[in-house]
Amino acid sequence: GVEENILREVDIPLLVTEATNPSLQFRSSWAVFLVPPDTYQSEAIFDLLKEYKWYEFSMIASGDEYGINGVLNLQNLASKDHHFTTRHVHYFDPSDGDYQFEEELGSIKDDLVKVVVLNCHALHAKRIFREAKKRGLLENSFIWITTDATTMKQDLLKENGKYHPYYVGLLGSQPNYGEESSEFLEMQRDYLEAAATSIPSDLTASTVALSQALRSIHDSLTGTTYSEPDDLSCSTQSLKWGDGKAFRDRIREKITGETSVLYYDISRPTYDIMNFENINYGFEKVGTWQEGEGLKDLAGNKVEWSGRSDIKFSGGMYEAPT
């Protein structure tokens, strides 16, 4: 991106916590990514669909790079498995704040398919869920699966500081930032005690990585003398940070190397499977997905479905309980 191009000229690394476009991640040298590209999220959602045999599904996505990439990735996976059929794909203009989603929600309501994958930002998801509720699409047999742009920004789903009860039962996915590490948990605990509010996982992970990298560099410089550049004026033609490359490499070590404090392996991306369990806490982790291993520890008996325990699905089609 623009930021990375600017910082690269002065040898300053950029720590990226949200950019998931695959084209960005494979062409950057000075950016350090804490999240895998969206292609892996699509694999996690696809495996979730397979787990519950939801072989027919519809998709609603924002008509921007994030939404379109997510749809294409999931469509590609589904096209390679003869069990799957993508019934409807709907794009909407994310810049239209007055859009009512009538066509998209109307076709879903008229169809027999009850599984919907929603790939858009939380603010758009909030509007879609509001309209879906009016049409009865958040009742009984419908299952909605959201992506990280919603699950990681779940506070944006609130109205007047509270979650709507009709969110209960939503499923979703989000990157795992290394929440099992002691440094990660310690920072979240300390922040909660000091600020009386939680700190997002992406901010926690990036702060831990930066602080540990700085500490590592500080320790390695013990007993040495650090000198400032002779000329720091604005007229300097080429002013680069002499320790920039070392700092970048230390950050990467603290994320993925042998001295990692986040237990995060970018070569084997991990996603958390989330479930909106109640209106007090919102999305809670009910399982994980890792590249090469698929779904793990999925707590099926813990998952809250959309208000009912007697819902059955067969190939994405709702069947009345027998």
Side-chain angles (χ1 to χ4, degrees):
V2 175
E3 298 89 348
E4 198 259 346
N5 290 334
I6 295 173
L7 295 175
R8 180 174 54 196
E9 295 300 316
V10 290
D11 288 0
I12 295 177
L14 176 67
L15 191 59
V16 184
T17 63
E18 291 189 7
T20 56
N21 187 328
S23 64
L24 290 176
Q25 300 207 6
F26 293 114
R27 69 180 184 218
S28 178
S29 59
W30 279 91
V32 181
F33 289 88
L34 277 172
V35 287
D38 285 329
T39 48
Y40 293 106
Q41 177 168 233
S42 297
E43 290 184 34
I45 292 175
F46 184 66
D47 282 354
L48 187 63
L49 294 170
K50 286 198 294 185
E51 175 72 16
Y52 290 107
K53 295 181 173 60
W54 293 333
Y55 293 136
E56 295 189 352
F57 61 96
S58 295
M59 289 188 280
I60 300 178
S62 50
D64 52 20
E65 200 167 37
Y66 176 81
I68 294 172
N69 281 340
V71 166
L72 294 178
N73 291 334
L74 193 53
Q75 278 185 310
N76 181 54
L77 291 168
S79 69
K80 297 177 181 178
D81 190 319
H82 71 277
H83 292 101
F84 280 89
T85 301
T86 305
R87 293 293 291 269
H88 300 285
V89 175
H90 298 283
Y91 294 106
F92 65 89
D93 181 359
S95 66
D96 187 351
D98 297 322
Y99 195 63
Q100 298 299 309
F101 309 99
E102 293 181 0
E103 178 182 350
E104 297 87 345
L105 297 176
S107 66
I108 291 174
K109 184 173 183 178
D110 293 338
D111 208 326
L112 293 175
V113 175
K114 304 298 183 181
V115 180
V116 185
V117 177
L118 182 60
N119 200 340
C120 65
H121 189 273
L123 287 175
H124 304 308
K126 179 181 179 180
R127 293 167 47 214
I128 291 172
F129 290 140
R130 185 189 304 128
E131 296 303 318
K133 173 63 176 176
K134 294 177 183 178
R135 294 165 173 79
L137 300 180
L138 286 170
E139 306 292 340
N140 297 333
S141 60
F142 288 91
I143 295 295
W144 291 74
I145 303 174
T146 63
T147 55
D148 56 358
T150 295
T151 55
M152 292 184 60
K153 305 290 184 181
Q154 62 175 341
D155 282 350
L156 296 179
L157 296 176
K158 292 181 177 179
E159 295 272 8
N160 300 319
K162 296 182 179 179
Y163 292 117
H164 290 293
Y166 55 73
Y167 293 150
V168 173
L170 296 176
L171 291 173
S173 62
Q174 67 180 39
N176 181 298
Y177 285 94
E179 289 89 339
E180 295 82 4
S181 75
S182 58
E183 289 84 357
F184 186 101
L185 296 173
E186 181 180 357
M187 181 180 175
Q188 289 217 319
R189 183 184 64 248
D190 291 346
Y191 189 92
L192 183 61
E193 291 177 355
T197 185
S198 60
I199 179 173
S201 295
D202 55 346
L203 181 57
T204 304
S206 58
T207 305
V208 168
L210 288 172
S211 65
Q212 293 293 319
L214 285 170
R215 181 178 301 176
S216 175
I217 289 179
H218 175 270
D219 292 344
S220 68
L221 291 174
T222 301
T224 64
T225 302
Y226 176 77
S227 59
E228 296 285 352
D230 294 332
D231 185 1
L232 291 178
S233 68
C234 294
S235 61
T236 301
Q237 295 298 314
S238 177
L239 180 61
K240 294 179 180 290
W241 183 23
D243 294 316
K245 183 177 183 299
F247 186 45
R248 179 200 63 189
D249 293 341
R250 294 297 174 90
I251 294 174
R252 286 176 174 164
E253 287 177 9
K254 293 304 174 182
I255 296 173
T256 65
E258 293 182 0
T259 60
S260 171
V261 295
L262 292 174
Y263 310 139
Y264 182 81
D265 187 354
I266 193 68
S267 67
R268 297 186 64 202
T270 301
Y271 278 84
D272 292 333
I273 304 302
M274 312 297 289
N275 179 219
F276 201 104
E277 296 184 348
N278 61 69
I279 60 175
N280 295 318
Y281 301 105
F283 283 102
E284 295 288 328
K285 180 178 175 179
V286 293
T288 60
W289 177 92
Q290 188 171 54
E291 199 245 341
E293 295 188 23
L295 292 172
K296 302 189 298 182
D297 307 321
L298 189 60
N301 60 340
K302 184 182 177 184
V303 175
E304 289 286 341
W305 304 108
S306 304
R308 290 177 58 175
S309 60
D310 57 354
I311 297 171
K312 296 203 310 179
F313 286 90
S314 176
M317 313 292 282
Y318 174 65
E319 292 182 355
T322 56

